[in-house]
Each structure stands twice: as structure tokens, then as C-alpha cells.
Amino acid sequence: MRAFVLTAPGAFEVQELPAPVAVAGEVVVDVERVGVCGTDMEFFTGAMAYLHQGHSTYPMRPGHEWAGRVAAVGEGVDRGWLGRRVMGDTMLGCGRCRRCVRGHQHVCEKRQEVGIRGARAGALAERLAVPASSLHALPDSVDAALGALVEPGGNALRAARAAAARTGDRALVLGPGTIGLLVAMFLRAAGAEVHLLDRAGNSPAFAHAMGFEHVWDERSLPDLPFDAVVDASNAAHLPQKALESVEPSGRVVYIGLAGEPSRIDTRTLALKDVTAVGILSASPGLDDTIRAYASGTVDPGALVAATVSLDEVGAVLAGERPEGAGPGPKIHVDPRLGI
């Protein structure tokens, strides 16, 4: 099969590799769609922390936002999975430790992460092997593009729920990238008045087209009471901005990661009686995200700007915009293209 492989920082190849075989407890999936994520770009540049912590090494095959169809099942796996359309959890816990037993396998110390950690190959290939226990079935109303948006959507859903904003509340989302816009969609579905802050100086036209009226930059952000603030940016100074912007007794949610350490003033946190929550992983939110997409409560399809082949992934990771791409922030890959 063909697969995209990172061989070193800034170096990559589309290689012909042996197709995976379904071992006991696992399935093999024909991959239909993969999302390119900021994490993949960090692996491309060599900045990803896991590389320096020994959790990941080159060569590696990225790709953790995916959807496809089960082509083979291993020993002990229900054959009912054959032919089903699925997506899969990125986080694969050991299943035995205290965290896994308590239902927190996404923070298992010994976890693998598909396409990210522990030498677990990712989905930027024609076929992917994953544990059957990680699968989530997709209904007919959730196509491949939406299926590959379930993983980022699960992260966003958890962030929106942690914000606990409801009808009549005002919420601010810092960073209108894929995750930020997904968070905004889930907050809007919960009835909140949603504001977006874009520090990059991008045109607000796309966010407006997505139905968000209130889009600001750091200079124009109005002095309004925000009941919840979600930092979905990669800016090291915005976690403190989030804390400063939230109302006393409000909630701040941190889901974005900066390339350098962030600092917040815990005196502000205490004196404002603020609840602060960190979010890692979509795992606990995947099923509800699928239901939200299937029902149309949240429809993120417009986020996908273009779908490219494996041969074009390197250019995307290097920051090039595909020719003819739409205004959305997400680029998808179809490994079947160009074959």
C-alpha cells in the first residue's frame, strides 16, 4: 500500500509499504478520509514535544483524524464490523492501569496515540490497523468528510461542555481555527451568544459566513461580561487574556497549546472565583459528536477547504495552500486519490 512517511524534520516520502494484517483484537480499515492537524505540522517541523520526550521517533506515519470502512477483522473481533463505516479513537490506553480502569484511558501513562505516540502508525495511508475497541460506527448521514471531523469535534464538544455555557450566557472563543470554530458551533447549539477573537488578523468573512456575527481582534474586543472563555489558540499570552476576560465565578477552558510555556496569575483565578479546566483528547466525546453531526445540530462540513492526495501532503504540512482551496481552515486527504 501507499503511505505518507515523515523521515526527519522537514523530510518525507510517499512509500510503498506492506499492508497491515488484522491481528487478534484488531481490524484493518480502508481509509477514506484523513484530516491534517496542527499536531502533524509540529511533527513535520520537529517541534512536537513527544519527539523530545522519547514518546515518538522518526520515521513515523501521522494521521489521527480519519474515517473509513472495515476491510478485515482479527481473531476475537466481532465479524459484524466487516464492511461498516467507522472512525476511531486516537487514544489507546493499556487497559490495565488505574487510570484505564477508572475510564480515563485517554491519559494512560502507557498509552499509544494513533499517528502520534508509541510507534502506532497513523491513517495517512491506504489502510490502517487499529484495535476494534477503539472503533465508533458512523451512520449513513455522516459521510467520510464529517467522519474525519469527529475526532477534532470530540475535543471541541468536551471544551464546550466544560465551559458550561447555556441559553442567555455570553461565551468568548480565542482562536477561530478548526477547534475554535467547532467549539463555537457547540456553544451556539447550547444556546450561548458566541464571540470569537482572531489575533492573526484574518478576515472575519469566513466566521461570518458560518453564522457568527461577533468576530474581533485584540484591539477591537469589547469590554463585555463573558460568562465563559475558551482558549483554543496557540498563543502563549492568551491564557492570561482568557482569565482576565472571564466574569467572576465564570469558567475558563484551555484546549489550545502554545509552542512555549504559558503563564496565568493564579491570584486572579482565586480572587475572581473562576473555574479553570484543561481538555486533552476527544475520547469521552466521540459518540455524542457523531450524534450531533448525524442530527444536523452541528454541521462542520464547511470547515474543509480542500481534499488532496497523499502526494500533496508534504506541501500542506510545509504550509502551502492547495490550489483552489476554499476559505475553511481544514485540509483533508483522500489516500485513494491519484492511484
Side-chain angles (χ1 to χ4, degrees), residues 236-267:
H237 72 286
L238 285 185
Q240 178 63 23
K241 178 72 172 179
L243 184 55
E244 293 168 355
S245 301
V246 73
E247 274 283 275
S249 295
R251 298 177 72 87
V252 176
V253 181
Y254 295 112
I255 189 172
L257 294 174
E260 59 188 88
S262 300
R263 297 286 186 265
I264 64 169
D265 189 338
T266 57
R267 295 171 298 182

Side-chain angles (χ1 to χ4, degrees), residues 63 76 79 171 182 211 225 230 250 267 287 312 337:
R79 294 186 61 81
L182 282 164
V230 179
R267 295 171 298 182
D287 285 333
E312 300 168 273
L337 293 177

Side-chain angles (χ1 to χ4, degrees), residues 60-101:
M60 65 175 302
R61 193 174 84 211
H64 60 278
E65 304 173 0
W66 61 270
R69 192 178 296 273
V70 177
V73 300
E75 182 183 351
V77 177
D78 183 352
R79 294 186 61 81
W81 282 114
L82 280 171
R84 296 192 72 178
R85 298 179 55 254
V86 296
M87 61 80 55
D89 195 345
T90 299
M91 306 301 214
L92 309 178
C94 71
R96 299 178 299 277
C97 70
R98 186 174 186 269
R99 296 175 191 174
C100 286
V101 170

Side-chain angles (χ1 to χ4, degrees), residues 51-261:
L51 291 167
H52 309 287
Q53 296 166 348
H55 296 308
S56 306
T57 58
Y58 300 107
M60 65 175 302
R61 193 174 84 211
H64 60 278
E65 304 173 0
W66 61 270
R69 192 178 296 273
V70 177
V73 300
E75 182 183 351
V77 177
D78 183 352
R79 294 186 61 81
W81 282 114
L82 280 171
R84 296 192 72 178
R85 298 179 55 254
V86 296
M87 61 80 55
D89 195 345
T90 299
M91 306 301 214
L92 309 178
C94 71
R96 299 178 299 277
C97 70
R98 186 174 186 269
R99 296 175 191 174
C100 286
V101 170
R102 290 179 167 225
H104 305 309
Q105 55 88 22
H106 60 290
V107 288
C108 170
E109 184 66 27
K110 298 178 181 178
R111 70 185 180 274
Q112 293 183 320
E113 298 179 25
V114 175
I116 298 176
R117 171 174 165 147
R120 172 62 72 164
L124 282 174
E126 294 177 77
R127 285 194 160 189
L128 170 71
V130 292
S133 59
S134 72
L135 297 179
H136 294 257
L138 297 174
D140 291 341
S141 55
V142 177
D143 63 13
L146 290 180
L149 286 167
V150 170
E151 200 278 342
N155 280 278
L157 172 63
R158 293 190 63 218
R161 285 181 170 172
R166 55 190 185 276
T167 301
D169 285 351
R170 182 182 291 117
L172 173 64
V173 179
L174 311 181
T178 298
I179 294 294
L181 286 168
L182 282 164
V183 172
M185 282 186 255
F186 280 110
L187 287 169
R188 180 173 60 189
E193 176 187 302
V194 180
H195 293 244
L196 293 161
L197 186 145
D198 182 4
R199 64 177 294 268
N202 297 322
S203 167
F206 180 70
H208 288 326
M210 296 289 291
F212 296 105
E213 176 184 354
H214 310 292
V215 185
W216 317 99
D217 59 30
E218 290 186 78
R219 291 174 296 178
S220 65
L221 181 67
D223 185 17
L224 293 171
F226 294 106
D227 303 291
V229 181
V230 179
D231 176 24
S233 76
N234 60 2
H237 72 286
L238 285 185
Q240 178 63 23
K241 178 72 172 179
L243 184 55
E244 293 168 355
S245 301
V246 73
E247 274 283 275
S249 295
R251 298 177 72 87
V252 176
V253 181
Y254 295 112
I255 189 172
L257 294 174
E260 59 188 88

